[in-house]
């Protein structure tokens, strides 16, 4: 009985101020919708980003070393149980000049569209010749170089860039995006003004370096997991630990290799020095004998 009376009173009040009631319901509904959107947005963003990573085969682990990385390092990493794929590549910084504008570029090696840290072709085509390159696509591209233009690269250091690259001038044939750079910030550099503006990709065979600068790794089973969830790191962390354990031995091996190369060069330099010294002494002695005979 009381409930029926209460219901009648409520309905009577609603009828008296129907406009206010509808406004309150609308405000509540809007608040609930807004809260639901805010709550689910991070989940949707993480899902979308993870799908993008998987689509272009983004690395799970990046390996770098101050002593450089060798083919033997790459081979040993590929033997680690749980490593799906490993890829040795090169990254250097260089100065680029275009229409009297000088910027610092990060130069990456390009092997194929399916490589680890693949690319999305936005415009043009991918490099097919050693003197071709693709540049970063997007509104923030600092150079804004049209396809068909040429980019000349410079070292920015005392050592010439020809010590690292076969070609230093490239024709732009396309523009790409890569999940390797999720923001427009590329980091800093020790050349130019110190700020890396854009990246370009050139055929891998252009690099004439003896060692890799980077090794990228993908892990078995990681692609099926969301890279923002704990389950993903439960798969990645054990492989990372194995790489770190392997690094202890590989660093010592690499150190001994560098030390041996340095000792060989010292020995070679000493031999050359003593050979030249002996030649000079023979010439001097011969000159003295000639003067006595006179």
């Amino acid at each position: 009985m009381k409930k029926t009376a209460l219901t009648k009173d409520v309905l009577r009040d609603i009828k008296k101020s129907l406009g206010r009631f509808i406004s309150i319901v609308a405000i509540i509904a809007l608040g609930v919708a807004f809260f639901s959107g805010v709550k689910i947005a991070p989940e949707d963003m993480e899902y979308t980003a993870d799908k993008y990573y998987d689509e272009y085969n983004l690395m799970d682990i990046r390996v770098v070393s101050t002593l450089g990385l060798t083919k033997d390092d790459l081979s040993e990493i590929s033997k680690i149980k749980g490593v799906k794929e490993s890829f040795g590549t090169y990254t250097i910084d260089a100065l680029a000049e275009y229409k009297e504008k000088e910027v610092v570029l990060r130069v990456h090696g390009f092997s194929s569209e399916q490589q680890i840290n693949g690319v999305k072709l936005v415009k043009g085509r991918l490099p097919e010749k050693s003197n071709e390159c693709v540049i970063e696509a997007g509104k923030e591209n600092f150079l804004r170089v049209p396809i068909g233009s040429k980019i000349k690269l410079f070292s920015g250091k005392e050592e010439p860039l020809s010590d690292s690259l076969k070609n230093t001038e490239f024709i732009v044939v396309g523009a790409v995006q890569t999940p390797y750079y999720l923001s427009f910030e590329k980091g800093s550099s020790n050349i130019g003004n110190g700020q890396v503006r854009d990246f370009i990709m050139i055929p891998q065979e252009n690099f004439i370096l003896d060692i890799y600068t980077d090794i990228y790794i993908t892990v078995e089973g990681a692609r099926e997991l969301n890279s923002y969830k704990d389950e993903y790191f439960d798969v990645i962390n054990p492989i990372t630990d194995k790489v770190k354990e392997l690094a202890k031995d590989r660093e010592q091996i690499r150190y001994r290799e560098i030390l041996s190369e340095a000792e060989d060069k010292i020995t070679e330099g000493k031999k050359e020095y003593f050979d030249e010294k002996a030649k000079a002494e023979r010439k001097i002695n011969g000159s003295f004998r000639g003067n006595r005979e006179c």
Side-chain angles (χ1 to χ4, degrees), residues 126-194:
L126 296 174
E128 297 173 355
K129 299 178 182 179
S130 61
N131 67 334
E132 295 178 340
C133 74
V134 289
I135 62 172
E136 180 180 10
K139 294 180 179 179
E140 297 298 321
N141 183 292
F142 192 78
L143 281 179
R144 302 182 187 277
V145 179
I147 291 177
S149 301
K150 289 185 178 181
I151 294 180
K152 178 72 174 176
L153 300 182
F154 303 91
S155 170
K157 303 177 182 177
E158 292 183 2
E159 304 83 5
L161 196 60
S162 56
D163 288 351
S164 303
L165 299 177
K166 291 179 182 177
N167 298 311
T168 56
E169 188 171 355
F170 298 90
I171 299 172
V172 178
V173 296
V176 298
Q177 293 175 343
T178 174
Y180 187 78
Y181 293 112
L182 297 180
S183 70
F184 298 122
E185 293 297 324
K186 307 299 184 299
S188 58
S189 176
N190 58 359
I191 62 174
N193 62 6

Side-chain angles (χ1 to χ4, degrees), residues 23-41:
S23 298
I24 292 172
V25 170
I27 291 171
I28 293 172
L30 183 62
V32 170
F34 180 77
F35 176 78
S36 299
V38 171
K39 188 73 175 175
I40 199 65

Side-chain angles (χ1 to χ4, degrees), residues 1-260:
M1 190 72 175
K2 290 181 179 180
K3 290 184 178 178
T4 304
L6 179 62
T7 302
K8 288 181 179 179
D9 288 340
V10 170
L11 292 176
R12 190 182 303 112
D13 290 338
I14 291 173
K15 288 180 181 179
K16 288 181 179 179
S17 55
L18 184 61
R20 184 175 62 181
F21 174 77
I22 293 174
S23 298
I24 292 172
V25 170
I27 291 171
I28 293 172
L30 183 62
V32 170
F34 180 77
F35 176 78
S36 299
V38 171
K39 188 73 175 175
I40 199 65
E43 294 284 338
D44 287 342
M45 292 173 68
E46 289 176 359
Y47 173 79
T48 302
D50 184 68
K51 185 178 178 182
Y52 179 54
Y53 301 156
D54 293 341
E55 189 175 353
Y56 294 100
N57 201 22
L58 181 66
M59 65 188 177
D60 295 308
I61 303 170
R62 178 190 177 210
V63 182
V64 295
S65 172
T66 54
L67 299 178
L69 299 157
T70 65
K71 291 182 179 179
D72 289 338
D73 293 331
L74 179 62
S75 176
E76 291 299 319
I77 287 174
S78 66
K79 294 176 184 177
I80 295 176
K81 187 177 180 181
V83 170
K84 180 179 179 181
E85 185 182 0
S86 56
F87 173 58
T89 188
Y90 309 93
T91 303
I92 63 172
D93 292 341
L95 294 176
E97 191 175 280
Y98 178 75
K99 289 186 176 179
E100 300 181 353
K101 187 190 298 181
E102 185 179 88
V103 296
V104 181
L105 295 182
R106 187 141 291 161
V107 185
H108 292 277
F110 175 79
S111 178
S112 72
E113 198 171 359
Q114 287 75 39
Q115 70 182 44
I116 297 179
N117 295 344
V119 297
K120 177 183 179 182
L121 184 64
V122 177
K123 188 166 53 175
R125 61 175 176 82
L126 296 174
E128 297 173 355
K129 299 178 182 179
S130 61
N131 67 334
E132 295 178 340
C133 74
V134 289
I135 62 172
E136 180 180 10
K139 294 180 179 179
E140 297 298 321
N141 183 292
F142 192 78
L143 281 179
R144 302 182 187 277
V145 179
I147 291 177
S149 301
K150 289 185 178 181
I151 294 180
K152 178 72 174 176
L153 300 182
F154 303 91
S155 170
K157 303 177 182 177
E158 292 183 2
E159 304 83 5
L161 196 60
S162 56
D163 288 351
S164 303
L165 299 177
K166 291 179 182 177
N167 298 311
T168 56
E169 188 171 355
F170 298 90
I171 299 172
V172 178
V173 296
V176 298
Q177 293 175 343
T178 174
Y180 187 78
Y181 293 112
L182 297 180
S183 70
F184 298 122
E185 293 297 324
K186 307 299 184 299
S188 58
S189 176
N190 58 359
I191 62 174
N193 62 6
Q195 182 181 3
V196 180
R197 289 288 187 174
D198 299 308
F199 72 83
I200 68 170
M201 290 185 168
I202 63 176
Q204 185 101 325
E205 61 267 21
N206 259 298
F207 290 88
I208 52 178
L209 300 173
D210 295 329
I211 55 175
Y212 298 121
T213 59
D214 306 84
I215 292 179
Y216 302 139
I217 301 172
T218 55
V219 176
E220 292 178 357
R223 189 167 186 173
E224 290 74 25
L225 302 172
N226 189 315
S227 55
Y228 291 93
K229 302 296 183 182
D230 292 339
E231 293 81 0
Y232 171 81
F233 293 100
D234 290 341
V235 172
I236 298 300
N237 289 341
I239 307 302
T240 302
D241 292 339
K242 290 179 182 179
V243 172
K244 289 180 179 178
E245 192 64 30
L246 175 66
K248 295 177 183 178
D249 293 330
R250 297 307 308 173
E251 286 169 358
Q252 291 300 316
I253 292 171
R254 179 61 182 153
Y255 174 76
R256 288 194 292 268
E257 286 177 353
I258 293 175
L259 189 62
S260 176

